[in-house]
Amino acid sequence: MHSQNLINVITDALPTLNKSETKVAQVILSDPDAATRSSIATLAKKSQVSEPSVNRFCKRFNAAGFPDFKLKLAKSLASGIRFVNRNVNPDDDVTSYTPKIIDSTINTLALVRDKISHVRVNQVVDKLIQAKRIYFFGLGASGSVARDAENKFFRFNLPVSSHDDVLMQRMLASTGGAGDVFFVISHTGRTKEVVGVAEIARSNGSTVIGLTAANSPLADMCTLTLDVDVPENTDEYMPMASRIVHLVILDVLATGVTLRRGPDFLPHLEKIKNSLKPTRFPNED
Amino acid sequence: MHSQNLINVITDALPTLNKSETKVAQVILSDPDAATRSSIATLAKKSQVSEPSVNRFCKRFNAAGFPDFKLKLAKSLASGIRFVNRNVNPDDDVTSYTPKIIDSTINTLALVRDKISHVRVNQVVDKLIQAKRIYFFGLGASGSVARDAENKFFRFNLPVSSHDDVLMQRMLASTGGAGDVFFVISHTGRTKEVVGVAEIARSNGSTVIGLTAANSPLADMCTLTLDVDVPENTDEYMPMASRIVHLVILDVLATGVTLRRGPDFLPHLEKIKNSLKPTRFPNED
DNA sequence: ATACTTTTCGTAATATTACTACATTAAAAG
DNA sequence: CTTTTAATGTAGTAATATTACGAAAAGTAT
């Protein structure tokens, strides 16, 4: 449901426009930003047409009127600029690469927000709630994601551990069984070792949940997967956005588990929080 | 120059506003999209103030007037950021808590994007470039952030390690000296152990960089800090966004270092990437 | 408290801006 | 050439926004 960029729509419609509409279109396209700031009178003058012509032009593009048109144009500009400028160039300086990287992460998260399957999330929460034991597995960058997940889920008062050692993973997978949940994190879903471990766990009757790419070998091996398709463009040389997405999805899952546990569980979380107080300098305010 | 998101600006200014301005702000924040579509008269009525009050409100936020304000607001909305009621309620289901958590993370990132000091980022990149050795330190949730940083920075071909063991941290801090960079990650900046370690490192002539809260005890102890003021979550159900922010800032720093190294360095990164190929199932497309 | 100052806010007049109805012109069809 | 239809503009009207000014409220100092 990504609404089409208004500027593209106008450009596409250009050949079908009549004389005065074309004039208006050209003026708008030549400087869309200026158009958003000008009144119908000034725009009419610039285009050398009458004001009603401009108004008709706006209505032709499904706007209620000129002000509404300007609004839509402004929105197109705002979202467009962010989309185009996503890549970091070799000659970028701090002031440009910093927002670019953050924007790119934001965009990816927005994408995931709109695409993630709520049904699937619910199913995974189900499995996690029922688990007698949870293992988080990951290698490389996903290793620290797994570790973060452990740090989050141990609070639920059940045996949780994270592992980034393949041999350890293999051994644990082979000793697991019903009631054990193996939560396997992998950006590509194609790492042979990881897929192998998932296969072992699965064949022993454990539940295997994958946080990984859709339709990957790992995904095929899992009881249940949370598909994440992160566009690769920023991850040219090192994983970036995918880790973040994985972490946020784990946040979502943890929240899901907390909510299912109900309000009686909150004092327990509070207790964990308070246990850290003596390790800290008191807050002055 | 990156213009700050108008909605954040308004939210931040909320405490400094007077009675009628507050009314207007609340109405706008409760449904910013509706605000962009309404006239000054309807907005005034909704806020139960006069039209000039709305107008003054707009000018206060550096808009030429009401229409200009609407335009800026629309642009802010279009940047992919949704501002819903950010808190998760006990009776939320998947379809509501999932977007809430992701939106809240996005919102935090957008805030950091607009507030982070580029000068400071540059200074930190300077230090990292010059480092003979880098240690990433963190405890708890910051432990996995430190580990992720190690995974990222080892690619730059210099001795990097991450540690989440306080004793290890102390020992390393005491043996360090000029040329060593201790990169200390802490959300609160108030954990006694961490501050102590930073102090030891500092007193031995090492460079200590803090990724932590501004004006915290840890920040005071550092050679250089990257201040991150993530609104502390009082809500039980909301996960910490600070980890995510820390990770993204480390992405920014890694990018900064890569760019400084120049294009000659890219083959090296390529080599690391390729080294993983044999561990993966080939991609079918 | 009281008078004085400053800030806040609304009324009403005015200016700006956008829209509509209708007239005119241009183009197309017969 | 008409006649018809589409395209465009004019002028009036409606709507929307802004300004100037003054009243009320809040704050200060005496």
Side-chain angles (χ1 to χ4, degrees), chain A residues 115-151:
Chain A
K115 286 208 172 157
I116 195 167
S117 155
H118 293 148
V119 178
R120 210 52 87 68
V121 170
N122 227 5
Q123 290 170 335
V124 172
V125 170
D126 276 340
K127 294 288 184 195
L128 292 173
I129 286 274
Q130 292 160 18
K132 296 259 183 310
R133 206 181 186 318
I134 307 177
Y135 300 93
F136 289 100
F137 287 180
L139 298 181
S142 298
S144 42
V145 176
R147 194 166 178 290
D148 189 84
E150 177 189 2
N151 189 282

Short mmCIF file of all heavy atoms in Angstrom, two decimals, chain A residues 115-151:
data_model
loop_
_atom_site.label_atom_id
_atom_site.label_comp_id
_atom_site.label_asym_id
_atom_site.label_seq_id
_atom_site.Cartn_x
_atom_site.Cartn_y
_atom_site.Cartn_z
N LYS A 115 5.36 -5.45 7.10
CA LYS A 115 5.33 -6.75 6.43
C LYS A 115 5.27 -7.95 7.38
O LYS A 115 4.93 -9.05 6.96
CB LYS A 115 6.57 -6.90 5.53
CG LYS A 115 6.48 -6.07 4.27
CD LYS A 115 7.28 -6.71 3.15
CE LYS A 115 7.02 -6.00 1.84
NZ LYS A 115 8.10 -6.20 0.87
N ILE A 116 5.65 -7.73 8.60
CA ILE A 116 5.76 -8.88 9.52
C ILE A 116 4.39 -9.54 9.72
O ILE A 116 3.36 -8.88 9.78
CB ILE A 116 6.37 -8.44 10.87
CG1 ILE A 116 6.81 -9.67 11.66
CG2 ILE A 116 5.39 -7.60 11.65
CD1 ILE A 116 7.70 -9.31 12.83
N SER A 117 4.41 -10.87 9.81
CA SER A 117 3.16 -11.61 9.99
C SER A 117 2.81 -11.69 11.47
O SER A 117 3.52 -12.31 12.26
CB SER A 117 3.32 -13.02 9.42
OG SER A 117 2.43 -13.90 10.07
N HIS A 118 1.69 -11.08 11.82
CA HIS A 118 1.29 -11.08 13.23
C HIS A 118 0.90 -12.49 13.68
O HIS A 118 1.12 -12.86 14.82
CB HIS A 118 0.13 -10.11 13.44
CG HIS A 118 0.53 -8.68 13.23
ND1 HIS A 118 -0.31 -7.72 12.74
CD2 HIS A 118 1.70 -8.06 13.43
CE1 HIS A 118 0.32 -6.56 12.66
NE2 HIS A 118 1.55 -6.74 13.07
N VAL A 119 0.32 -13.23 12.75
CA VAL A 119 -0.05 -14.61 13.07
C VAL A 119 1.19 -15.39 13.49
O VAL A 119 1.20 -16.09 14.50
CB VAL A 119 -0.70 -15.28 11.85
CG1 VAL A 119 -1.03 -16.72 12.16
CG2 VAL A 119 -1.94 -14.51 11.41
N ARG A 120 2.23 -15.22 12.69
CA ARG A 120 3.46 -15.94 12.96
C ARG A 120 4.06 -15.53 14.31
O ARG A 120 4.50 -16.37 15.09
CB ARG A 120 4.44 -15.62 11.83
CG ARG A 120 5.42 -16.71 11.51
CD ARG A 120 4.76 -18.05 11.26
NE ARG A 120 4.34 -18.27 9.88
CZ ARG A 120 5.17 -18.42 8.86
NH1 ARG A 120 6.48 -18.37 9.04
NH2 ARG A 120 4.71 -18.62 7.66
N VAL A 121 4.07 -14.23 14.56
CA VAL A 121 4.59 -13.75 15.84
C VAL A 121 3.84 -14.43 16.98
O VAL A 121 4.44 -14.93 17.94
CB VAL A 121 4.48 -12.22 15.95
CG1 VAL A 121 4.79 -11.75 17.37
CG2 VAL A 121 5.40 -11.54 14.96
N ASN A 122 2.54 -14.47 16.83
CA ASN A 122 1.72 -15.09 17.86
C ASN A 122 2.07 -16.56 18.06
O ASN A 122 2.17 -17.04 19.19
CB ASN A 122 0.25 -14.94 17.47
CG ASN A 122 -0.58 -14.47 18.62
OD1 ASN A 122 -0.03 -14.15 19.69
ND2 ASN A 122 -1.88 -14.43 18.44
N GLN A 123 2.25 -17.26 16.96
CA GLN A 123 2.60 -18.68 17.04
C GLN A 123 3.93 -18.87 17.76
O GLN A 123 4.09 -19.78 18.58
CB GLN A 123 2.68 -19.29 15.63
CG GLN A 123 1.31 -19.41 14.96
CD GLN A 123 1.42 -19.78 13.49
OE1 GLN A 123 2.44 -19.52 12.85
NE2 GLN A 123 0.37 -20.41 12.95
N VAL A 124 4.90 -18.01 17.43
CA VAL A 124 6.21 -18.13 18.07
C VAL A 124 6.10 -17.86 19.57
O VAL A 124 6.69 -18.56 20.39
CB VAL A 124 7.23 -17.19 17.40
CG1 VAL A 124 8.53 -17.17 18.19
CG2 VAL A 124 7.48 -17.61 15.97
N VAL A 125 5.32 -16.83 19.91
CA VAL A 125 5.12 -16.53 21.33
C VAL A 125 4.51 -17.75 22.03
O VAL A 125 4.93 -18.12 23.13
CB VAL A 125 4.23 -15.29 21.52
CG1 VAL A 125 3.83 -15.13 22.98
CG2 VAL A 125 4.95 -14.03 21.05
N ASP A 126 3.55 -18.38 21.37
CA ASP A 126 2.96 -19.61 21.90
C ASP A 126 4.03 -20.62 22.27
O ASP A 126 4.06 -21.16 23.37
CB ASP A 126 2.04 -20.26 20.85
CG ASP A 126 0.65 -19.65 20.87
OD1 ASP A 126 0.30 -19.04 21.90
OD2 ASP A 126 -0.06 -19.78 19.86
N LYS A 127 4.89 -20.88 21.30
CA LYS A 127 5.94 -21.88 21.50
C LYS A 127 6.87 -21.49 22.65
O LYS A 127 7.28 -22.33 23.45
CB LYS A 127 6.77 -22.04 20.22
CG LYS A 127 6.00 -22.62 19.04
CD LYS A 127 5.70 -24.10 19.24
CE LYS A 127 5.03 -24.68 18.01
NZ LYS A 127 4.41 -25.99 18.30
N LEU A 128 7.20 -20.22 22.70
CA LEU A 128 8.13 -19.76 23.73
C LEU A 128 7.52 -19.89 25.12
O LEU A 128 8.18 -20.22 26.09
CB LEU A 128 8.56 -18.32 23.47
CG LEU A 128 9.44 -18.10 22.23
CD1 LEU A 128 9.67 -16.63 21.97
CD2 LEU A 128 10.78 -18.82 22.39
N ILE A 129 6.21 -19.59 25.19
CA ILE A 129 5.50 -19.70 26.46
C ILE A 129 5.52 -21.15 26.96
O ILE A 129 5.71 -21.41 28.14
CB ILE A 129 4.02 -19.26 26.27
CG1 ILE A 129 3.91 -17.75 26.13
CG2 ILE A 129 3.16 -19.76 27.41
CD1 ILE A 129 3.83 -17.01 27.42
N GLN A 130 5.33 -22.06 26.03
CA GLN A 130 5.24 -23.48 26.39
C GLN A 130 6.60 -24.13 26.64
O GLN A 130 6.67 -25.24 27.17
CB GLN A 130 4.52 -24.25 25.28
CG GLN A 130 3.05 -23.88 25.15
CD GLN A 130 2.49 -24.26 23.78
OE1 GLN A 130 3.09 -25.07 23.07
NE2 GLN A 130 1.37 -23.67 23.41
N ALA A 131 7.66 -23.43 26.23
CA ALA A 131 8.99 -24.06 26.28
C ALA A 131 9.42 -24.40 27.70
O ALA A 131 9.18 -23.64 28.63
CB ALA A 131 10.01 -23.13 25.64
N LYS A 132 10.05 -25.56 27.83
CA LYS A 132 10.67 -25.93 29.11
C LYS A 132 12.06 -25.32 29.17
O LYS A 132 12.61 -25.09 30.25
CB LYS A 132 10.80 -27.46 29.20
CG LYS A 132 9.48 -28.21 29.21
CD LYS A 132 9.12 -28.63 30.64
CE LYS A 132 7.84 -29.45 30.65
NZ LYS A 132 6.74 -28.78 29.89
N ARG A 133 12.63 -25.13 28.00
CA ARG A 133 14.00 -24.63 27.92
C ARG A 133 14.17 -23.95 26.55
O ARG A 133 13.60 -24.40 25.56
CB ARG A 133 14.96 -25.83 28.03
CG ARG A 133 16.30 -25.41 28.57
CD ARG A 133 17.30 -26.48 28.70
NE ARG A 133 18.52 -26.03 29.36
CZ ARG A 133 19.13 -24.88 29.13
NH1 ARG A 133 18.65 -24.03 28.25
NH2 ARG A 133 20.25 -24.56 29.77
N ILE A 134 14.93 -22.87 26.54
CA ILE A 134 15.16 -22.17 25.27
C ILE A 134 16.65 -22.00 25.02
O ILE A 134 17.40 -21.58 25.90
CB ILE A 134 14.51 -20.78 25.26
CG1 ILE A 134 13.02 -20.86 25.63
CG2 ILE A 134 14.64 -20.12 23.89
CD1 ILE A 134 12.33 -19.51 25.70
N TYR A 135 17.08 -22.37 23.82
CA TYR A 135 18.45 -22.14 23.39
C TYR A 135 18.45 -21.12 22.26
O TYR A 135 17.72 -21.28 21.27
CB TYR A 135 19.08 -23.42 22.85
CG TYR A 135 19.15 -24.55 23.85
CD1 TYR A 135 18.14 -25.51 23.92
CD2 TYR A 135 20.25 -24.67 24.71
CE1 TYR A 135 18.21 -26.55 24.82
CE2 TYR A 135 20.32 -25.72 25.62
CZ TYR A 135 19.30 -26.65 25.68
OH TYR A 135 19.37 -27.68 26.57
N PHE A 136 19.25 -20.10 22.39
CA PHE A 136 19.42 -19.14 21.29
C PHE A 136 20.74 -19.40 20.59
O PHE A 136 21.80 -19.37 21.23
CB PHE A 136 19.38 -17.70 21.82
CG PHE A 136 18.02 -17.27 22.28
CD1 PHE A 136 17.70 -17.26 23.63
CD2 PHE A 136 17.06 -16.86 21.36
CE1 PHE A 136 16.45 -16.86 24.06
CE2 PHE A 136 15.80 -16.46 21.79
CZ PHE A 136 15.49 -16.47 23.14
N PHE A 137 20.67 -19.68 19.30
CA PHE A 137 21.88 -19.98 18.53
C PHE A 137 22.12 -18.91 17.47
O PHE A 137 21.20 -18.48 16.78
CB PHE A 137 21.73 -21.32 17.80
CG PHE A 137 21.83 -22.53 18.71
CD1 PHE A 137 21.71 -23.81 18.17
CD2 PHE A 137 22.04 -22.39 20.08
CE1 PHE A 137 21.80 -24.93 18.99
CE2 PHE A 137 22.12 -23.51 20.90
CZ PHE A 137 21.99 -24.78 20.36
N GLY A 138 23.39 -18.54 17.33
CA GLY A 138 23.76 -17.62 16.27
C GLY A 138 25.26 -17.63 16.08
O GLY A 138 26.00 -17.93 17.03
N LEU A 139 25.71 -17.31 14.89
CA LEU A 139 27.15 -17.23 14.62
C LEU A 139 27.48 -15.82 14.13
O LEU A 139 26.63 -15.15 13.57
CB LEU A 139 27.56 -18.24 13.55
CG LEU A 139 27.34 -19.72 13.87
CD1 LEU A 139 27.83 -20.57 12.70
CD2 LEU A 139 28.07 -20.11 15.15
N GLY A 140 28.72 -15.42 14.32
CA GLY A 140 29.14 -14.10 13.84
C GLY A 140 28.29 -13.00 14.45
O GLY A 140 28.08 -12.98 15.67
N ALA A 141 27.81 -12.13 13.58
CA ALA A 141 27.02 -11.01 14.08
C ALA A 141 25.76 -11.50 14.80
O ALA A 141 25.31 -10.90 15.77
CB ALA A 141 26.64 -10.09 12.93
N SER A 142 25.21 -12.60 14.33
CA SER A 142 24.02 -13.15 14.98
C SER A 142 24.34 -13.72 16.36
O SER A 142 23.44 -13.95 17.16
CB SER A 142 23.39 -14.24 14.11
OG SER A 142 22.98 -13.69 12.88
N GLY A 143 25.62 -13.95 16.60
CA GLY A 143 26.03 -14.42 17.92
C GLY A 143 25.67 -13.41 18.99
O GLY A 143 25.14 -13.77 20.05
N SER A 144 25.93 -12.14 18.72
CA SER A 144 25.62 -11.15 19.75
C SER A 144 24.12 -10.92 19.85
O SER A 144 23.63 -10.54 20.92
CB SER A 144 26.38 -9.84 19.51
OG SER A 144 26.37 -9.49 18.17
N VAL A 145 23.41 -11.16 18.76
CA VAL A 145 21.95 -11.07 18.84
C VAL A 145 21.44 -12.16 19.78
O VAL A 145 20.58 -11.91 20.64
CB VAL A 145 21.30 -11.21 17.44
CG1 VAL A 145 19.79 -11.21 17.56
CG2 VAL A 145 21.77 -10.10 16.51
N ALA A 146 21.98 -13.37 19.62
CA ALA A 146 21.57 -14.49 20.47
C ALA A 146 21.85 -14.17 21.94
O ALA A 146 21.03 -14.44 22.82
CB ALA A 146 22.32 -15.75 20.04
N ARG A 147 23.00 -13.57 22.16
CA ARG A 147 23.39 -13.24 23.52
C ARG A 147 22.43 -12.20 24.11
O ARG A 147 22.03 -12.29 25.28
CB ARG A 147 24.79 -12.66 23.48
CG ARG A 147 25.48 -12.57 24.81
CD ARG A 147 26.96 -12.32 24.54
NE ARG A 147 27.72 -12.16 25.76
CZ ARG A 147 27.62 -11.11 26.56
NH1 ARG A 147 26.74 -10.17 26.29
NH2 ARG A 147 28.38 -11.02 27.64
N ASP A 148 22.06 -11.25 23.31
CA ASP A 148 21.11 -10.24 23.75
C ASP A 148 19.77 -10.89 24.09
O ASP A 148 19.11 -10.53 25.06
CB ASP A 148 20.94 -9.18 22.67
CG ASP A 148 20.13 -7.99 23.15
OD1 ASP A 148 20.71 -7.10 23.77
OD2 ASP A 148 18.90 -7.99 22.92
N ALA A 149 19.38 -11.84 23.27
CA ALA A 149 18.12 -12.54 23.49
C ALA A 149 18.16 -13.28 24.83
O ALA A 149 17.19 -13.26 25.59
CB ALA A 149 17.86 -13.52 22.36
N GLU A 150 19.28 -13.89 25.12
CA GLU A 150 19.43 -14.58 26.40
C GLU A 150 19.23 -13.59 27.54
O GLU A 150 18.46 -13.83 28.47
CB GLU A 150 20.82 -15.22 26.50
CG GLU A 150 21.06 -15.88 27.85
CD GLU A 150 22.51 -16.33 28.04
OE1 GLU A 150 23.32 -16.08 27.13
OE2 GLU A 150 22.81 -16.91 29.09
N ASN A 151 19.89 -12.47 27.42
CA ASN A 151 19.81 -11.43 28.44
C ASN A 151 18.38 -10.95 28.66
O ASN A 151 18.01 -10.50 29.74
CB ASN A 151 20.69 -10.25 28.00
CG ASN A 151 20.84 -9.21 29.08
OD1 ASN A 151 19.94 -8.41 29.28
ND2 ASN A 151 21.95 -9.25 29.78
#
